[in-house]
Amino acid sequence: MVKVLKGVIIKCDSTVKQVIYKLNERKQIIIEDLDDTHLFINEKELEEVKIEVEKLLEENTYKTDLPPPSDK
């Protein structure tokens, strides 16, 4: 029997790929790991992946309270 799944191919670095693998533990997101930088994921989960990756990047972005340098 043939099973058809609708998905999308995403290109990502290894860090983002690990985040997606972590999400995959909770929910079936990854259909196929294609190579070092490409994943074939469930199309229905694309928005959740975008939100979670964005959230992680926001948490790990360095923020400073210093004012921006002045142009002289």
Side-chain angles (χ1 to χ4, degrees), residues 12-68:
C12 56
D13 63 18
S14 60
T15 306
V16 172
K17 194 172 183 182
Q18 292 305 313
V19 171
I20 296 170
Y21 264 99
K22 198 69 168 166
L23 293 172
N24 196 59
E25 292 174 3
R26 291 186 290 169
K27 220 172 187 184
Q28 183 61 36
I29 295 173
I30 300 172
I31 297 170
E32 187 73 34
D33 187 345
L34 302 174
D35 60 29
D36 291 341
T37 58
H38 294 89
L39 289 171
F40 186 56
I41 66 168
N42 188 331
E43 183 183 46
K44 294 177 183 177
E45 305 301 331
L46 182 60
E47 283 305 312
E48 182 179 347
V49 168
K50 286 181 181 179
I51 291 167
E52 290 297 323
V53 168
E54 199 58 44
K55 192 185 311 180
L56 178 76
L57 292 175
E58 185 67 31
E59 289 172 5
N60 291 315
T61 301
Y62 179 74
K63 296 176 180 92
T64 180
D65 293 332
L66 298 175

